[in-house]
Amino acid sequence: MKTPSQLNKEERDTVISYESSESHYLLLTPGPLTTSSQVRQAMMLDWCTWDEDYKALTEGIRNDLISLAKASPSLYTSVLMQGSGTFAVESVIGSVMPPEGKLLIGANGAYGERMVEIAATLRIDHIAMVESHVTPLSPARLDRYLMEHPDITHVAFVHGETTSGMLNPLEELCRVAKQHHRTLIVDAMSTFGGIPINVEALDIDFVVSSSNKCLQGVPGFGYVIAKRSAIEQTNSWARSLSLNLYDQWNTMEKTQGKWRYTSPTHTVHALSTAMKELQEEGGIEARYQRYKNNHRVLVEGMKALGFMPVLPPELQGPIITSFHYPIGEAGTAFDFALFYEGMKKEGFVIYPGKLTDADTFRVGTIGHVFPDDMHRFIHAVKQVMKQQQGSECVLSD
Ligand SMILES: *Cc1c(COP(=O)(O)O)cnc(C)c1O
């Protein structure tokens, strides 16, 4: 058999598309996600990092992020940061808090709680506005907190809490923070690119997300869309060298696209391809409609099979959905591990639950997946449940 380097281009494309599709499972998870074969093919070459072509690629992504945020380049800028999404969140919290600043963090899930952990680890003065995992963050409560604590300088919260699948009330929370003239940090990790967010109209100072969520790239780096006037003030505030957001931004800005330290070249090429696909799909609005359709097919099908969503529809976003374990016939407990394995054999990878006080699992509806895939998913759930109920009968005889 030939090694990949001995193949001509046509042969190589055939091997790649053969290996990459059909037989493999779909990821119905909150990231990494199922990507298109074009996105994966973008990573099949070794790419250099220092020249004008590569810098132009980085600049293209940075500029496109600003237009996806519906922001004008004179007021907003963007910066890419190596690492998973959490690294990008940590780079923002660690770099944009002034030495005497105080951060209020809204936390109604694992990702809000992670921001609290980051602030505690970096010894940043902070308070947490905590809600249960099934309660949205309250704009009225935020208003009260900001009134009672005039020393709070910055507010941070998660838009789509991937823990539950809930959408926090983004617009109202932003409005309250801005009425009180606080600097605003939004973790839009699981929503940016999949749900329209008008960053400039909401006057958000820092929006954070990563390459492997709704932009449908692969893991490797995060990005921050920042108000220029806000990031410009942050020189010398960073509490970390490698996660210094200002320095990373300043370097990219001054050199038109150079990264500090090794950049994740394959991932950057993959995201550039993925962002072209987002344009071809019709932009964020079209993708949002697809995700909503995926979610609708999922929920209708699952309900018909006896799986109830945890959240009421008015709190639920189209990104990921938590389901209660089904209530079986007397004495038959739902075995998630067995169900997971069965579904994987059928070609679908799902996600365990993360809620503290209920037995749940999650199904993602983002990535290169379509309503037809969700119909096939429902069919597979039916098959797997039938097999497993069948085998339990045998076992209990
Ligand atoms: C995925 C995600 C993150 C980042 O997680 P990583 O595992 O570090 O990539 C942060 N916040 C939210 C809401 C997420 O969905």
Side-chain angles (χ1 to χ4, degrees), residues 146 152-154 175-184:
L146 292 179
I152 293 168
T153 54
H154 290 58
R175 192 176 319 122
V176 171
K178 286 295 154 173
Q179 273 165 359
H180 290 273
H181 306 291
R182 297 331 206 268
T183 303
L184 188 50

Side-chain angles (χ1 to χ4, degrees), residues 69 76-79 88 92 170 184-189 191-192 197-200 202-209 223-227:
Y76 278 83
T77 182
S78 70
V79 48
V92 172
L170 178 69
L184 188 50
I185 301 166
V186 177
D187 171 349
M189 199 73 63
T191 51
F192 191 86
I197 301 176
N198 196 330
V199 173
E200 185 174 326
L202 296 175
D203 201 16
I204 305 172
D205 296 277
F206 299 95
V207 175
V208 195
S209 185
Y223 55 85
V224 180
I225 297 158
K227 198 190 286 173

Side-chain angles (χ1 to χ4, degrees), residues 61-63 65-66 69 76-82 84-93 95-96 184-186 188-189 192 199 204-211 221-227 231 243-246 248-249 252:
I61 292 175
R62 290 182 63 214
N63 292 332
L65 287 172
I66 296 166
Y76 278 83
T77 182
S78 70
V79 48
L80 315 181
M81 180 60 82
Q82 294 95 329
S84 87
T86 303
F87 291 59
V89 174
E90 183 157 356
S91 84
V92 172
I93 293 179
S95 303
V96 312
L184 188 50
I185 301 166
V186 177
M189 199 73 63
F192 191 86
V199 173
I204 305 172
D205 296 277
F206 299 95
V207 175
V208 195
S209 185
S210 77
S211 55
F221 65 98
Y223 55 85
V224 180
I225 297 158
K227 198 190 286 173
I231 197 169
L243 295 178
N244 184 331
L245 188 75
Y246 179 90
Q248 181 91 339
W249 170 70
M252 286 188 171

